[in-house]
Amino acid sequence: MFALVKFFHRSPVRMAELACGLLTTLLLLGSLDAQALPLFARQTGQNCLSCHAGGQFPELTPYGRMFKMTGYTIGARTVPISVMGVATYSKVADTSKSDDPAADFQKNGAPLFATGSLFLGGKVTDNIGAFAQVTYDNYAGQAVGDSGNNDGRFQGHTNADNMDFRYADHLIDDKRDFVYGLSVNNNPSVSDPWNTAPAWMQYVPVPSPTSSQFIDGNAPFASFGSGGNIAGVSAYMFWNKTIYAELGTYQTANRGLSFLSAGINDANTTKLQGSNNPYWRLAYSHEWGAHNIMVGATGMIAHIYDLGSDTSDPGNLGRVKNTGLDAQYQYLLDPHTITAQLSYMRQVQDYSPNTLLNFASPFVLADGLTPVAAANPSDTTNVFRAKLGYVYQAKYGGSVAFFNKTGTANTLNQSSGFDTNGQITSTDPLGTGIASTRVTGNLSGNPATRGFTYEAFWMPIQNIRIGAQYTAYSKFNGATDNYDGLGRNARDNNTLFLYVWGAY
Amino acid sequence: MNYKHIFLAMTLGAIGAGCSNIERSRDLANPAVPGHVLAVQVCAICHGVDGNSTSPAFPRLAGQQAAYIVNQLKNFRAQGRSDPAGSEYMWGLSHHLTDAQIDDIAAYYAKQKVVAPDVPTDPKLMAAGKDIFENGVPAQNVIACAACHGPKGQGIEAFPRIANQHADYIVKQLNVFQINQGRPGTPMEFIAHPLTGDNKDAVAAYLQDFPN
């Protein structure tokens, strides 16, 4: 299996190769098992809805959580491969307040084959199982033409996505039900069984073109500052289906562990100091009748080199501390599935000395003279998200989500501002050398972003979901109106996002 | 700490352990794993470790007649019991089970003690359900359930225990017998046929809260 991941690492798969690979895989699976489903479903022979609440992957049912906690070892060994593909369509409300709509809203209103994933995993032995996702992003970057400049064509790219390798055991007698295990994974909380965990609450794959930059998947979610594609090991236990505890630590995914960040170039790989970057999780769970509830807390401290990839200079070392709370309620009884989710994450980020040393704001105050305030050495953000969802007959579903991000204002995060003529321009016609950023710009240096996402979906068959999301912002980058200083309002970013998501 | 070593240890551990752990295996395709091991390692997650499932989505198996469990598992395995929930949840799990494993699983659940679900029931519904259970509905040609399922709803051999079963599951099965035909070839087809919605709700509520 690692050989395969390595293979991806060494030779980035091109579109044609991928299509060919997917086809072969499909034929292979098709010939092996007439009612073939994604690999875990094949392993237990069950319908997706046994493990996914109302069939809405990836949200897990109590049984799905146990399947995961016992290391993906329930069932019979089977073809360890699944494929997933996502086709999307994004449309941003206002594309006029931009200097270069073609760049700011790439592929706006165009149907895309956005991403494809290959999953390897399942039961290996009675105690060992795996979940490894390798994702092909059809729009990862732009091609460089003969002139050496971007020629506007997109280029695909394949890299390691979520990975989780486990050893688990389950001890059961009259009074005790005890699951314990070890997970080697590449994303803090990817090992978590609940879907309010940072790695799981955002689930629809996010397309790379900029027309998708405001879809729900890119709106604030409780997340860890470290990001993914790092290497971690954690030990966990679940006691009497009541208390879940997990403790782990992460390091840079390099050397023997580089397959955990395969396909991510060095500059984009998170660099952590040493292996003392602890992650913890504690949750209380209870099931009664058709209901179940979880209330939990989590956290992580990551020592991150926040300035490029140079880890030799200790001056490049910053620190991010996350502490979060989450809760989930599910009601699961055919034909109804109800899910309520809450998540909250506080993040304190201390910037590295060099980041602060190198920082000199190009902007001045409106008088065209007074320098803006010095950068704060530290920022705090709070992200809150609540979501209520309903699925009928594991076929028709909908949800409403509210998100709210608040935090400290910092000139370090300001990307629009006044030039020495007391003006805000993105084109710098007077040659002051100071240009503000449009569309993504932040005039206040404040991250506050707030809004709602409404979603409706339909699952014509259990492995296909067709969905529509509408995300409406009442605040973006710290303001309701004119957040970039160039006239763009939060609601201009409202986005309609359609997707067809299939897994096999 | 060196992750490479942990990884290596995990791999070697697996190989060292002969890759199987018969007494705590969740392997549904290994005939060497005893049925009662699968019952606690796999089936228990939905049906409860003692067969007294908490969620009404999953039928209770505690104190169920062994012969009935054997019949049902063989039915699922042969894909004969084909109501939606049966095929979605149980076909795959039973696919590779051997007759010996099925016998062992049945014996395991048959000997479990029934813990009655603690759900308050409307006394009027209880009375109506009791009447159907004990006397049938003569006007609709419905025979008393007790005639086949026993005076205490405890069942005998291929006639299942229905006392203390989840009401939601009972109603769903009565609908399967009546409408969906996913469980063909049993006397329940003609028993359930004349039942009204109210009949089903009443008898299911009574059975769930069956007085012991």
Side-chain angles (χ1 to χ4, degrees):
Chain A
M1 174 152 44
F2 302 143
L4 224 131
V5 177
K6 270 229 171 77
F7 160 78
F8 276 104
H9 185 31
R10 295 221 177 100
S11 69
V13 186
R14 289 274 144 74
M15 185 63 182
E17 280 176 64
L18 185 93
C20 191
L22 293 188
L23 210 71
T24 323
T25 314
L26 285 173
L27 290 174
L28 187 77
L29 298 179
S31 62
L32 279 171
D33 187 345
Q35 32 143 177
L37 304 165
L39 71 96
F40 290 142
R42 277 195 302 276
Q43 181 173 313
T44 66
Q46 288 167 298
N47 185 288
C48 304
L49 61 81
S50 325
C51 285
H52 296 297
Q56 50 176 337
F57 42 90
E59 185 189 322
L60 296 174
T61 61
Y63 173 67
R65 294 195 282 268
M66 271 298 202
F67 178 82
K68 180 170 179 175
M69 282 186 260
T70 52
Y72 315 105
T73 59
I74 294 176
R77 235 171 286 166
T78 172
V79 188
I81 298 175
S82 263
V83 289
M84 175 174 105
V86 189
T88 63
Y89 168 98
S90 301
K91 195 156 169 58
V92 180
D94 185 299
T95 53
S96 67
K97 294 171 192 164
S98 150
D99 297 323
D100 185 0
D104 284 338
F105 311 103
Q106 293 158 340
K107 303 284 176 190
N108 196 45
L112 308 176
F113 166 69
T115 65
S117 287
L118 185 68
F119 295 88
L120 300 161
K123 181 182 182 67
V124 181
T125 73
D126 279 340
N127 296 101
I128 293 182
F131 169 94
Q133 180 180 5
V134 176
T135 293
Y136 171 79
D137 179 352
N138 203 10
Y139 296 91
Q142 294 205 304
V144 176
D146 294 337
S147 65
N149 293 323
N150 281 354
D151 66 3
R153 279 183 300 122
F154 281 91
Q155 249 179 355
H157 182 73
T158 303
N159 64 261
D161 205 329
N162 288 331
M163 295 188 170
D164 178 21
F165 303 91
R166 286 182 188 239
Y167 172 92
D169 203 350
H170 191 173
L171 309 175
I172 305 160
D173 61 35
D174 299 348
K175 287 178 201 64
R176 173 187 67 159
D177 183 304
F178 187 72
V179 181
Y180 70 93
L182 210 60
S183 159
V184 171
N185 64 69
N186 68 350
N187 187 4
S189 82
V190 80
S191 50
D192 204 86
W194 284 276
N195 293 73
T196 42
W200 292 105
M201 197 163 171
Q202 195 307 101
Y203 49 88
V204 184
V206 176
S208 294
T210 47
S211 60
S212 291
Q213 63 180 311
F214 304 117
I215 67 170
D216 186 62
N218 279 328
F221 275 88
S223 62
F224 288 113
S226 68
N229 288 113
I230 51 181
V233 59
S234 65
Y236 63 92
M237 62 132 221
F238 191 39
W239 179 75
N240 282 356
K241 295 190 177 179
T242 305
I243 303 290
Y244 179 85
E246 182 174 353
L247 194 61
T249 184
Y250 286 80
Q251 67 165 47
T252 309
N254 53 14
R255 287 190 285 270
L257 294 161
S258 58
F259 66 90
L260 293 170
S261 64
I264 312 275
N265 64 25
D266 193 57
N268 290 331
T269 308
T270 303
K271 296 287 187 336
L272 297 173
Q273 184 198 38
S275 52
N276 180 25
N277 299 288
Y279 161 81
W280 59 271
R281 165 68 149 158
L282 195 62
Y284 166 82
S285 158
H286 181 61
E287 293 175 28
W288 75 104
H291 317 260
N292 70 80
I293 193 166
M294 179 280 297
V295 181
T298 187
M300 182 171 180
I301 296 174
H303 304 91
I304 305 176
Y305 291 93
D306 65 12
L307 206 65
S309 53
D310 180 8
T311 58
S312 63
D313 182 352
N316 289 342
L317 191 63
R319 179 178 181 270
V320 181
K321 183 178 167 197
N322 286 106
T323 38
L325 294 173
D326 61 333
Q328 177 176 282
Y329 163 82
Q330 290 176 320
Y331 174 84
L332 304 167
L333 187 60
D334 183 54
H336 308 294
T337 300
I338 299 170
T339 306
Q341 300 180 319
L342 291 177
S343 77
Y344 164 80
M345 184 69 82
R346 178 180 172 83
Q347 174 164 310
V348 179
Q349 175 162 20
D350 299 328
Y351 298 102
S352 71
N354 288 351
T355 294
L356 297 165
L357 215 61
N358 293 356
F359 175 72
S361 177
F363 305 116
V364 291
L365 296 186
D367 62 6
L369 272 175
T370 322
V372 297
N376 298 332
S378 167
D379 270 326
T380 301
T381 56
N382 296 290
V383 174
F384 173 77
R385 213 178 234 268
K387 181 180 161 195
L388 186 65
Y390 173 74
V391 188
Y392 181 66
Q393 283 184 342
K395 264 200 157 63
Y396 313 98
S399 68
V400 184
F402 168 71
F403 51 87
N404 188 24
K405 178 178 187 176
T406 57
T408 45
N410 192 346
T411 46
L412 190 66
N413 301 321
Q414 194 184 338
S415 50
S416 281
F418 295 93
D419 63 16
T420 47
N421 296 310
Q423 290 187 339
I424 303 177
T425 64
S426 54
T427 49
D428 190 24
L430 300 171
T432 57
I434 302 169
S436 291
T437 310
R438 261 198 122 159
V439 183
T440 56
N442 187 327
L443 181 64
S444 58
N446 187 304
T449 295
R450 188 194 315 154
F452 280 91
T453 293
Y454 310 89
E455 173 167 27
F457 60 82
W458 172 47
M459 294 179 283
I461 55 169
Q462 61 164 342
N463 11 16
I464 292 185
R465 178 146 116 223
I466 299 171
Q469 289 181 344
Y470 186 74
T471 301
Y473 292 89
S474 55
K475 211 174 224 187
F476 193 85
N477 281 357
T480 299
D481 293 320
N482 194 23
Y483 68 82
D484 62 355
L486 295 157
R488 201 168 170 88
N489 304 326
R491 66 179 172 281
D492 295 333
N493 295 344
N494 293 359
T495 301
L496 173 67
F497 177 62
L498 309 179
Y499 64 87
V500 179
W501 185 6
Y504 192 83
Chain B
M1 193 172 337
N2 190 325
Y3 298 82
K4 226 158 112 186
H5 290 159
I6 293 173
F7 224 30
L8 206 69
M10 270 167 75
T11 319
L12 290 179
I15 296 165
C19 294
S20 68
N21 179 355
I22 296 293
E23 275 311 304
R24 289 199 298 278
S25 175
R26 294 166 284 279
D27 193 337
L28 291 167
N30 181 354
V33 178
H36 66 271
V37 169
L38 294 177
V40 298
Q41 287 286 339
V42 180
C43 321
I45 302 171
C46 292
H47 293 290
V49 70
D50 58 357
N52 291 292
S53 59
T54 36
S55 170
F58 310 118
R60 301 174 138 242
L61 301 177
Q64 185 54 279
Q65 296 295 327
Y68 172 76
I69 296 181
V70 169
N71 278 349
Q72 298 310 308
L73 286 174
K74 289 185 175 169
N75 255 334
F76 285 132
R77 189 177 64 183
Q79 307 191 346
R81 179 169 166 181
S82 62
D83 56 301
S87 64
E88 288 160 359
Y89 287 89
M90 291 304 304
W91 282 10
L93 291 179
S94 58
H95 191 67
H96 299 283
L97 295 180
T98 64
D99 287 358
Q101 284 174 319
I102 288 178
D103 289 344
D104 193 22
I105 289 171
Y108 174 84
Y109 283 117
K111 68 168 197 255
Q112 301 299 322
K113 210 166 155 274
V114 178
V115 182
D118 180 20
V119 201
T121 308
D122 173 10
K124 263 178 56 206
L125 210 56
M126 281 295 274
K130 184 174 198 277
D131 191 36
I132 297 171
F133 179 77
E134 288 175 355
N135 308 312
V137 192
Q140 294 159 223
N141 288 326
V142 177
I143 310 173
C145 319
C148 292
H149 291 283
K152 299 198 120 331
Q154 78 282 15
I156 179 165
E157 297 290 330
F159 297 88
R161 173 186 182 90
I162 50 176
N164 304 120
Q165 186 56 275
H166 293 293
D168 185 84
Y169 174 76
I170 293 174
V171 172
K172 278 182 182 144
Q173 296 313 306
L174 291 173
N175 287 336
V176 167
F177 292 122
Q178 189 179 36
I179 306 160
N180 169 285
Q181 311 288 315
R183 299 177 67 171
T186 88
M188 282 308 292
E189 263 174 86
F190 98 95
I191 303 279
H193 189 71
L195 291 176
T196 64
D198 286 347
N199 292 158
K200 287 182 265 189
D201 288 345
V203 76
Y206 173 70
L207 287 170
Q208 171 170 275
D209 214 9
F210 200 89
N212 283 302

